């Protein structure tokens, strides 16, 4: 198939982006749940950790393409072109691909390459409306694709880049506060300090027990990602637990208050995506679960919005183990 | 330091709430198996002891006697009452050595486990018409129920 990554027998193709050494790199992983479903997994055998240059909306994408014919043979071709593509790939449903951005540039007219050739390319001020996303059942990626047209089979080389999109923190960010329970058996009031959190934020909250007639063994808080792909009637939801965090061990009594402090920077989260290109959504939920002595589970799920704010570099260093200095700085700023 | 959380209704726990008897106190025991009757109509019945402060139970300390077939009726009635709750299994039927100590003890332990799960279920405590009657009412007679 034409998507073999430059492993064709006739030429090596390499794409180098302009200013690559100075550009930030994003390291990303295919989510575990997706690895089985991605049709290109075999070709990305060691794609466990992928490193890609980071670009933003409106930035030009430029660089050079190096073509080296193999075995010192000359390379006959019907033209060399490069495309900039933004695509959404669904892993289910016949693996439908949608290219929402497609730009093309000719690098060489039909002819022959006697020796290595270098071709400059530039896509000016490219629109990159959506963030890159590697999800459970869907992938949104941006890449350049070099195609050397030949009579029998084309030589194709793709190189991915990664796109982030920053948001300004919201003016209004109300806390989430609710009283829930089972009539006459369990009443709790929970509160989370915000409804919208950025990727390195801290969830600060509390749970107060108002009535406890069941025998509780422990309480945990988990973050769940729910990805929705497709449109009705073929809409498909799949959830993944990002983390589970025990916040209480043992039986609480009436009026007891349990604090919550959960640093988000330790987890593999993305911003909330709503109806991207009408193809998929990714939403996040806090799931508060109480477990009683017979392992019966009582839960309350609450959606939170996650967004990406502009990264100020040193301020947001990650510390091994998941705690983040950003969490503290967010906390003390108030 | 403002944490973004409401402080106004942060009610402190009283000493009684913190150290007093919890309001989820419930102890269910199945004990003291006895062989009743004579000859061919002999059977074993068991004592059910319930100690609780949960208001859903009418009696704080009750002692009644029930036999295995009563439990079978009870499980069946619970399943008919609610489709939402999973009712645990009873210890199995026994065809030989019904009166041996080992069999009786295994059955006793199984019945106790069954009642602990069922009696502790919040939806059954408040929603079932027969739970309280079966485990606490000394005048219970399964013929008076359909």
């Amino acid at each position: 198939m034409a998507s073999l990554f430059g492993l064709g027998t006739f030429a090596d193709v390499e794409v180098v982006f302009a200013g690559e050494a100075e550009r930030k790199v994003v390291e990303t992983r295919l989510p575990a749940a997706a690895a089985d479903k991605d049709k290109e997994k075999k070709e990305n055998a060691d794609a466990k950790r992928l490193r890609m240059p980071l670009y933003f909306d409106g930035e030009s994408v430029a660089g050079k393409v190096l073509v080296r014919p193999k075995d010192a043979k000359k390379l006959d071709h019907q033209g060399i072109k490069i495309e900039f593509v933004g695509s959404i790939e669904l892993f289910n449903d016949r693996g439908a691909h949608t290219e929402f951005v497609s730009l093309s540039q000719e690098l060489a007219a039909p002819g022959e390459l006697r020796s290595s050739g270098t071709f400059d390319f530039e896509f000016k001020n490219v629109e990159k409306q959506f963030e890159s996303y590697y999800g459970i059942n869907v992938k949104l990626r941006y890449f350049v694709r070099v195609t050397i047209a030949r009579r029998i089979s084309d030589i194709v080389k793709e190189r991915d880049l990664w796109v982030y999109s920053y948001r300004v923190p919201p003016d209004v960010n109300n806390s989430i506060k609710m009283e829930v329970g089972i009539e006459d058996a369990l009443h709790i009031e929970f509160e989370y300090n915000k409804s919208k959190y950025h990727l390195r934020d801290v969830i600060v909250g509390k749970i107060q027990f108002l009535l406890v007639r069941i025998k509780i063994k422990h309480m945990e808080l988990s973050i769940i990602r729910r990805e929705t792909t497709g449109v009705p009637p073929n809409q498909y939801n799949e959830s993944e637990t990002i983390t589970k965090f025990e916040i209480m061990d043992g039986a609480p009594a009436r009026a007891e208050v349990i604090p919550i402090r959960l640093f988000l920077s330790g987890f593999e989260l993305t911003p909330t995506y709503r109806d991207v290109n009408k193809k998929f959504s990714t939403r996040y939920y806090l799931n508060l679960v109480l477990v009683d002595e017979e392992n019966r589970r009582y839960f309350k799920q609450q959606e939170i919005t996650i967004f990406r704010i502009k990264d100020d570099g040193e301020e947001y260093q990650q510390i091994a183990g998941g705690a983040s200095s950003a969490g503290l700085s967010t906390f003390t700023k108030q | 330091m403002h944490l973004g959380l409401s402080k106004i209704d942060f009610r402190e726990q009283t000493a009684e709430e913190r150290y007093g008897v919890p309001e989820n106190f419930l102890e269910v025991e199945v004990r003291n198996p006895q062989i009743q009757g004579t000859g061919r109509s002999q059977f074993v019945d068991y004592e059910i002891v319930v100690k609780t402060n949960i208001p859903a139970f009418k009696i704080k300390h009750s002692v009644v006697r029930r036999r295995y077939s009563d439990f079978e009726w009870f499980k069946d009635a619970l399943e008919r009452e609610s489709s939402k709750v999973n009712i645990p299994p009873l210890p199995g039927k026994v065809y030989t050595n019904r009166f041996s100590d080992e069999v009786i003890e295994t059955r006793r332990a199984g019945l106790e486990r069954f009642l602990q799960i069922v009696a502790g279920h919040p939806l059954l405590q408040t929603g079932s018409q027969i739970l309280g009657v079966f485990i606490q009412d000394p005048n219970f007679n399964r013929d008076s129920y359909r």
Side-chain angles (χ1 to χ4, degrees):
Chain A
M1 238 186 82
S3 61
L4 282 174
F5 281 40
L7 295 172
T9 46
F10 304 104
D12 282 330
V13 182
E14 204 187 315
V15 174
V16 178
F17 291 111
E20 220 181 296
E22 289 77 47
R23 188 169 287 277
K24 261 196 183 160
V25 165
V26 168
E27 210 173 275
T28 224
R29 227 190 329 218
L30 274 176
D36 306 315
K37 304 185 197 204
D38 189 355
K39 290 186 177 67
E40 282 150 27
K41 184 203 170 194
K42 291 191 193 77
E43 288 147 14
N44 277 328
D46 53 289
K48 293 283 159 62
R49 295 214 81 99
L50 306 164
R51 309 186 78 231
M52 284 162 279
L54 178 64
Y55 282 83
F56 298 94
D57 189 14
E59 264 197 288
S60 297
V61 180
K64 296 179 186 327
V65 178
L66 282 67
V67 183
R68 257 185 301 265
K70 276 196 178 164
D71 305 331
K73 287 195 184 139
K74 67 178 165 69
L75 182 68
D76 283 312
H77 64 84
Q78 264 82 56
I80 307 181
K81 72 172 179 189
I82 186 167
E83 296 165 284
F84 177 87
V85 180
S87 97
I88 296 176
E89 304 165 10
L90 292 167
F91 296 163
N92 51 17
D93 190 25
R94 300 165 270 113
H97 285 212
T98 306
E99 291 186 357
F100 58 90
V101 169
S102 182
L103 306 167
S104 186
Q105 211 160 84
E106 192 188 271
L107 295 177
E112 65 177 36
L113 264 182
R114 297 254 168 94
S115 57
S116 301
T118 301
F119 306 93
D120 291 334
F121 68 90
E122 188 180 10
F123 295 99
K124 276 194 165 63
N125 307 328
V126 184
E127 190 190 12
K128 303 171 207 78
Q129 201 186 344
F130 312 116
E131 282 205 351
S132 298
Y133 172 63
Y134 279 6
I136 306 169
N137 283 301
V138 59
K139 214 192 230 185
L140 193 158
R141 54 189 275 253
Y142 294 89
F143 56 96
V144 291
R145 182 199 285 141
V146 179
T147 306
I148 303 176
R150 290 162 54 76
R151 234 169 281 120
I152 298 169
S153 68
D154 295 344
I155 300 171
V156 179
K157 169 83 177 175
E158 289 180 358
R159 178 122 190 251
D160 279 45
L161 41 101
W162 199 264
V163 173
Y164 277 166
S165 176
Y166 294 138
R167 294 280 177 275
V168 173
D171 293 326
V172 174
N173 198 346
N174 298 320
S175 68
I176 299 171
K177 191 168 174 203
M178 248 180 242
E179 198 182 305
V180 295
I182 296 176
E183 194 72 35
D184 295 332
L186 172 70
H187 292 178
I188 61 169
E189 186 181 77
F190 70 87
E191 185 172 358
Y192 306 129
N193 62 331
K194 305 182 197 175
S195 38
K196 300 176 185 155
Y197 292 92
H198 63 78
L199 288 164
R200 292 187 173 90
D201 218 327
V202 195
I203 299 177
V204 178
K206 68 179 186 10
I207 314 286
Q208 184 164 39
F209 289 87
L210 304 175
L211 178 71
V212 196
R213 293 210 181 113
I214 57 174
K215 292 180 187 176
I216 295 172
K217 199 165 54 169
H218 73 263
M219 178 165 64
E220 62 196 30
L221 187 65
S222 41
I223 301 177
I224 295 175
R225 165 189 296 147
R226 183 171 305 138
E227 193 186 86
T228 305
T229 46
V231 285
N234 295 322
Q235 204 164 62
Y236 180 70
N237 286 323
E238 191 164 336
S239 297
E240 194 176 19
T241 301
I242 305 292
T243 186
K244 217 189 307 193
F245 194 70
E246 187 178 89
I247 55 175
M248 177 188 81
D249 182 24
R254 186 188 276 256
E256 198 158 338
V257 177
I258 305 299
I260 294 169
R261 187 176 303 269
L262 187 56
F263 291 84
L264 294 180
S265 58
F267 310 116
E268 304 221 347
L269 297 169
T270 69
T272 295
Y273 297 129
R274 292 202 171 94
D275 213 25
V276 173
N277 200 227
K278 296 194 184 16
K279 295 268 176 318
F280 71 91
S281 297
T282 299
R283 306 172 101 110
Y284 290 92
Y285 299 83
L286 286 179
N287 196 27
L288 184 68
V289 180
L290 291 100
V291 183
D292 75 14
E293 289 193 352
E294 297 296 347
N295 291 318
R296 287 179 281 249
R297 299 167 73 84
Y298 309 83
F299 67 93
K300 175 68 186 135
Q301 218 173 78
Q302 191 59 42
E303 185 177 1
I304 54 169
T305 301
I306 301 185
F307 61 97
R308 188 186 304 277
I309 56 173
K310 191 163 162 52
D311 186 359
D312 286 329
E314 282 83 66
E315 206 186 335
Y316 296 99
Q317 295 299 315
Q318 287 232 334
I319 299 170
S324 151
S325 62
L328 294 174
S329 66
T330 303
F331 177 62
T332 56
K333 243 181 224 158
Q334 294 160 358
Chain B
M1 214 181 325
H2 172 59
L3 294 171
L5 295 179
S6 53
K7 292 216 160 182
I8 304 150
D9 41 10
F10 188 129
R11 182 168 82 65
E12 288 283 347
Q13 247 186 334
T14 66
E16 174 58 27
E17 283 166 338
R18 194 185 300 249
Y19 300 110
V21 177
E23 47 192 2
N24 60 6
F25 174 64
L26 172 65
E27 273 176 19
V28 174
E29 265 185 276
V30 174
R31 62 181 197 190
N32 195 15
Q34 303 267 333
I35 300 176
Q36 311 287 355
T38 52
R40 279 194 182 277
S41 61
Q42 277 195 324
F43 64 93
V44 178
D45 69 0
Y46 306 82
E47 196 168 82
I48 301 176
V49 181
V50 176
K51 293 180 194 149
T52 183
N53 64 4
I54 296 175
F57 293 105
K58 294 202 178 78
I59 305 167
K60 294 214 168 324
H61 182 171
S62 65
V63 181
V64 300
R65 294 199 74 87
R66 304 277 184 262
R67 59 185 289 188
Y68 182 81
S69 58
D70 291 333
F71 277 85
E72 282 184 311
W73 171 89
F74 176 54
K75 174 175 173 355
D76 198 59
L78 280 178
E79 281 169 343
R80 275 182 282 132
E81 241 186 356
S82 162
S83 52
K84 281 194 192 138
V85 180
N86 276 338
I87 309 296
L90 283 172
K93 269 192 157 330
V94 167
Y95 300 97
T96 54
N97 296 328
R98 251 193 307 153
F99 301 107
S100 81
D101 288 338
E102 218 177 86
V103 167
I104 289 174
E105 173 49 30
T106 306
R107 185 169 265 203
R108 183 210 63 77
L111 293 176
E112 186 173 82
R113 192 75 199 100
F114 172 83
L115 276 193
Q116 282 169 345
I117 295 172
V118 161
H121 199 301
L123 295 180
L124 294 178
Q125 279 171 10
T126 49
S128 169
Q129 313 278 13
I130 49 166
L131 171 61
V133 170
F134 181 78
I135 64 175
Q136 298 202 298
D137 187 354
N139 301 318
F140 165 73
N141 183 341
R142 73 193 202 219
D143 297 327
S144 46
Y145 291 86
R146 239 305 292 137

